Amino acid sequence: MMAAAHEKTLDDLFLNTLKDIYYAEKKILKALPKMAKAARSEQASVAFLKHRDETEVQIQRLEQVFEILGKAPRGKTCDAIEGIIGEGEEIIAEFEESPAIDAGLIAAAQAVEHYEIARYGALKAWAAQLNMKDAVRLLDQTLKEEIKTDELLTKLGMAGANAQAA
Ligand SMILES: [Fe+2]
């Protein structure tokens, strides 16, 4: 039976947010190859494909966290990621033939990373609060990858995509 709202605890919030990011990661996994295809520069394309592969492992880590909780992995529609990815699709539709496409794609991908960093940061803190050491380790691995990806994207923007766009 589902707990009434006033009875819900941090465990419920943790599971809720885990479902949210699980849904989001699966969406991201599908979006990245499209972004790689739309990118003009080899560097941007390679970066998106590399992160696609990382995302696959990140999904497996989330499945391990579900397992720690004794729950079957299930996603819950995440409106935020739908919106962020939708904006990325708009950029592709509107700038595909433009020299600004890579700058647009990189900025869109960074919006995704920032969302993920916010979610994984919260999940990691809550897992620590709930004394779930293995979950902390798994979530921290992914959090570090997302931060690294964000930094790489910043570098790609500075290394040429923004200048190309101008
Ligand atoms: Fe991710």
Side-chain angles (χ1 to χ4, degrees), residues 24-144:
E25 289 288 16
K26 289 196 155 184
K27 274 278 176 185
I28 294 163
L29 187 69
K30 282 193 209 144
L32 282 165
K34 291 182 205 162
M35 294 172 77
K37 208 175 144 218
R40 274 202 178 187
S41 82
E42 183 71 19
Q43 273 178 316
S45 185
V46 165
F48 293 142
L49 289 178
K50 178 180 172 247
H51 195 53
R52 189 224 157 265
D53 293 345
E54 280 176 348
T55 300
E56 220 161 40
V57 178
Q58 293 175 351
I59 288 171
Q60 289 166 10
R61 285 195 200 111
L62 289 174
E63 287 167 353
Q64 286 175 260
V65 178
F66 277 107
E67 208 181 304
I68 291 169
L69 294 173
K71 304 274 183 192
R74 273 198 35 210
K76 174 174 180 275
T77 307
C78 167
D79 293 328
I81 206 70
E82 295 279 2
I84 293 169
I85 288 177
E87 281 187 5
E89 282 167 356
E90 259 173 53
I91 295 282
I92 294 176
E94 288 175 30
F95 290 89
E96 188 137 37
E97 306 302 325
S98 153
I101 182 67
D102 284 5
L105 287 171
I106 288 167
Q110 284 193 284
V112 171
E113 290 313 311
H114 292 182
Y115 179 74
E116 292 188 284
I117 290 166
R119 283 292 173 260
Y120 281 109
L123 281 168
K124 183 188 153 187
W126 295 339
Q129 182 65 43
L130 296 167
N131 265 317
M132 298 168 56
K133 284 202 176 66
D134 290 338
V136 170
R137 183 180 48 79
L138 290 161
L139 294 164
D140 185 57
Q141 281 177 337
T142 297
L143 179 60
K144 288 201 171 108

